[in-house]
Amino acid sequence: MFTQEVQEALNHQIRHELYSAYAYLSMSAYCETINLSGIARWMRMQGQEEMNHAMKFFDFINDRGGRVVLEAIDQPPAEFQSPLDVFERALAHERAVTASINEIYRLATVANDYPTQVMLHWFIEEQVEEEKSAGEIVELLKLSGGEGPALLMLDRQLGARKHSDH
Ligand code: FEO
């Protein structure tokens, strides 16, 4: 069984992951309006990946006889300055998610909750990937000036993403 604290933290994390899905969908919508359909597609798939993350927490709570309680999801930003702004915000968001997952791990350690610690190993590795991919795109956008032919090439490259990775 979970301690109350761990169960609450896991429920909060469902909200964080669902908010992430919402935020990436909003970024996708913005990219559609500036005709970057490749980046919009990448963001949409990222949103689907976040839904999968939320469901991993949802299933884990249920599998261990806990109680899932869904919380209100905030409205995500709708307006962005540029593709670079989009990815910088995505990177900042992923860093916040990493901090949140690390905090649940800390709580699970204090509670001697080994199953939760083991489940979180997947997320800890996943966050390394999430920060890496957003960070690389931020750097590419900075290097290329984030406009012109370089931006169109990046749009085409990101649009080739086939499916959500996890
Ligand atoms: Fe579910 Fe992008 O972290």
Side-chain angles (χ1 to χ4, degrees):
M1 252 328 260
F2 299 113
T3 62
Q4 188 66 19
E5 213 173 10
V6 169
Q7 178 169 283
E8 275 177 12
L10 291 168
N11 271 309
H12 292 334
Q13 193 61 30
I14 294 176
R15 170 167 50 82
H16 286 314
E17 301 292 348
L18 290 175
Y19 175 81
S20 301
Y22 226 36
Y24 281 117
L25 257 187
S26 186
M27 291 174 185
S28 178
Y30 164 78
C31 290
E32 289 287 1
T33 65
I34 57 170
N35 297 314
L36 290 173
S37 59
I39 297 178
R41 178 179 156 80
W42 189 96
M43 286 291 173
R44 184 179 175 133
M45 291 193 177
Q46 189 63 31
Q48 287 170 358
E49 190 172 306
E50 300 298 351
M51 275 299 299
N52 294 342
H53 294 174
M55 294 314 294
K56 280 182 194 284
F57 283 102
F58 184 100
D59 290 339
F60 179 72
I61 294 171
N62 283 326
D63 286 349
R64 291 192 64 211
R67 178 75 172 94
V68 169
V69 179
L70 296 178
E71 301 169 356
I73 303 167
D74 289 341
Q75 181 175 9
E79 299 303 332
F80 301 89
Q81 303 302 316
S82 63
L84 177 60
D85 182 36
V86 167
F87 279 98
E88 281 181 330
R89 292 212 220 176
L91 178 57
H93 179 69
E94 288 303 337
R95 286 177 175 154
V97 171
T98 299
S100 170
I101 285 173
N102 290 347
E103 173 60 13
I104 307 174
Y105 194 90
R106 190 188 69 75
L107 292 173
T109 304
V110 169
N112 291 329
D113 181 343
Y114 303 113
T116 298
Q117 291 172 40
V118 170
M119 186 275 292
L120 288 173
H121 287 171
W122 185 90
F123 279 95
I124 290 167
E125 285 182 15
E126 173 68 6
Q127 284 309 119
V128 173
E129 284 304 309
E130 297 272 85
E131 289 190 33
K132 177 171 173 256
S133 57
E136 281 176 355
I137 297 168
V138 165
E139 291 310 312
L140 278 173
L141 284 166
K142 283 183 179 167
L143 269 176
S144 67
E147 57 187 23
L151 178 59
L152 293 180
M153 272 181 64
L154 183 65
D155 184 60
R156 184 175 299 179
Q157 185 189 327
L158 294 181
R161 180 174 177 173
K162 292 281 187 291
H163 52 78
S164 68
D165 301 328
H166 299 288

